[in-house]
DNA sequence: GCGACAG
DNA sequence: ATCTTGTCGC
């Protein structure tokens, strides 16, 4: 695992963070289908916090897209760079995620984030932000509808319904397990919504959440425990 | 102005 | 996100 400190020019106030979003949001690429499901690599990303000590641990886990076996993984710990502000989550998580990604020797392939892509108040959530900064295809799979609305998808696995911001479809509520609460999929960067949903189904042969995020979640928690001592 | 709000 | 025991189910 590696340690790092946020870049000296990283935003520390909301005003600056919003200005950075406005500059980067124009670089999101939405006209590429992205990597096909079941092939290449898929990389899960997640972070865990210790608010007491202001510590954040990030984990990236590269999976074989066909077998879902772990190909490589890395972690990084650092100091929290930004407070939690809905709409500005990326500023809190990305520095440590980038540090972990830089430790990888493998091609990350498609990056799957725990949160949103363009389904965001300003259409520039965590996944899109990470995609623009790295150039990698990214998507988001969130556990909650955030500020958006949706009609419950039909009961069978694979059923979906639009995730709406007014009349605009910003993502999709996708049922990954029969009769279980759907996950909320959105495009991050260089991936289509249809492909993002197909990828999500390929990553959920057994549980509601993608294997990539389950793996990353377990790893960042372990890294945090080790960093703090427990 | 007030409340809601990914992780 | 995080604080947390037992418990129902595959």
């Amino acid at each position: 695992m590696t340690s790092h400190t946020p870049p000296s020019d990283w935003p520390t106030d909301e005003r600056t963070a919003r200005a950075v979003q406005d500059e980067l949001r124009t670089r999101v690429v939405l006209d590429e289908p992205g990597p096909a499901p079941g092939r290449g690599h898929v990389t899960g990303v997640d972070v865990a916090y210790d608010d007491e000590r202001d510590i954040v641990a990030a984990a990236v886990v590269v999976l074989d897209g066909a077998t879902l076996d772990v190909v490589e993984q890395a972690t990084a710990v650092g100091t929290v760079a930004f407070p939690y502000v809905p709409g500005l989550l990326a500023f809190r998580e990305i520095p440590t995620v980038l540090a972990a990604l830089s430790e990888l020797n493998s091609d990350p392939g498609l990056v799957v984030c725990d949160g949103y892509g363009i389904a965001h108040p300003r259409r520039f959530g965590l996944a899109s932000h990470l995609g623009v900064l790295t150039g990698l295809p990214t998507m988001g799979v969130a556990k909650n509808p955030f500020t958006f609305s949706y009609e419950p998808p039909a009961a069978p696995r694979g059923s979906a319904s639009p995730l709406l911001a007014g009349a605009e479809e910003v993502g999709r509520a996708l049922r990954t397990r029969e009769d279980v609460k759907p996950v909320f999929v959105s495009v991050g960067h260089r991936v289509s919504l249809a492909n993002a949903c197909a990828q999500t189904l390929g990553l959920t042969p057994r549980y509601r959440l993608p294997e990539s995020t389950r793996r990353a979640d377990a790893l960042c928690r372990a890294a945090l425990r080790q960093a703090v001592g427990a």
Side-chain angles (χ1 to χ4, degrees):
Chain A
M1 169 192 342
T2 62
S3 292
H4 83 291
T5 46
S8 57
D9 60 338
W10 197 253
T12 54
D13 65 282
E14 299 187 22
R15 174 72 184 72
T16 307
R18 293 206 168 83
V20 171
Q21 280 190 332
D22 277 329
E23 182 203 325
L24 297 179
R25 63 187 296 185
T26 63
R27 302 188 206 166
V28 178
V29 173
L30 301 175
D31 59 4
E32 287 182 29
R39 296 196 311 219
H41 289 169
V42 176
T43 296
V45 169
D46 195 17
V47 304
Y49 304 95
D50 182 276
D51 290 319
E52 303 298 291
R53 300 168 179 271
D54 252 30
I55 297 294
V56 54
V60 294
V61 182
V62 183
L63 302 182
D64 177 297
T67 63
L68 303 190
D69 288 333
V70 177
V71 172
E72 186 186 358
Q73 55 184 38
T75 59
V77 294
T79 54
V80 176
F82 205 87
Y84 171 65
V85 179
L88 298 178
L89 181 62
F91 294 92
R92 183 170 170 78
E93 309 200 335
I94 284 186
T96 312
V97 168
L98 290 177
L101 277 175
S102 70
E103 295 301 302
L104 253 29
N105 294 305
S106 314
D107 174 356
L110 172 68
V111 177
V112 179
C113 297
D114 188 12
Y116 281 114
I118 63 171
H120 176 273
R122 305 166 68 163
R123 306 296 178 269
F124 196 63
L126 170 65
S128 297
H129 199 140
L130 184 62
V132 168
L133 292 187
T134 62
L136 298 168
T138 62
M139 54 174 276
V141 178
K143 299 181 286 296
N144 298 297
F146 198 12
T147 62
F148 308 105
S149 60
Y150 71 101
E151 291 301 321
R157 159 179 156 84
S159 302
S161 61
L163 184 64
L164 303 168
E168 179 186 0
E169 181 179 37
V170 294
R172 213 159 273 168
L174 178 66
R175 194 88 70 182
T176 55
R177 301 300 300 160
E178 182 173 348
D179 281 321
V180 171
K181 177 180 176 177
V183 294
F184 304 90
V185 180
S186 61
V187 166
H189 182 61
R190 305 213 295 141
V191 183
S192 68
L193 181 55
N195 195 23
C197 288
Q199 287 281 1
T200 300
L201 288 176
L203 290 166
T204 51
R206 171 83 172 153
Y207 301 102
R208 177 170 87 116
L209 298 179
E211 285 303 310
S212 44
T213 76
R214 297 183 76 260
R215 240 65 192 245
D217 179 78
L219 186 57
C220 70
R221 291 192 193 212
L224 182 63
R225 277 179 301 172
Q226 183 200 307
V228 175

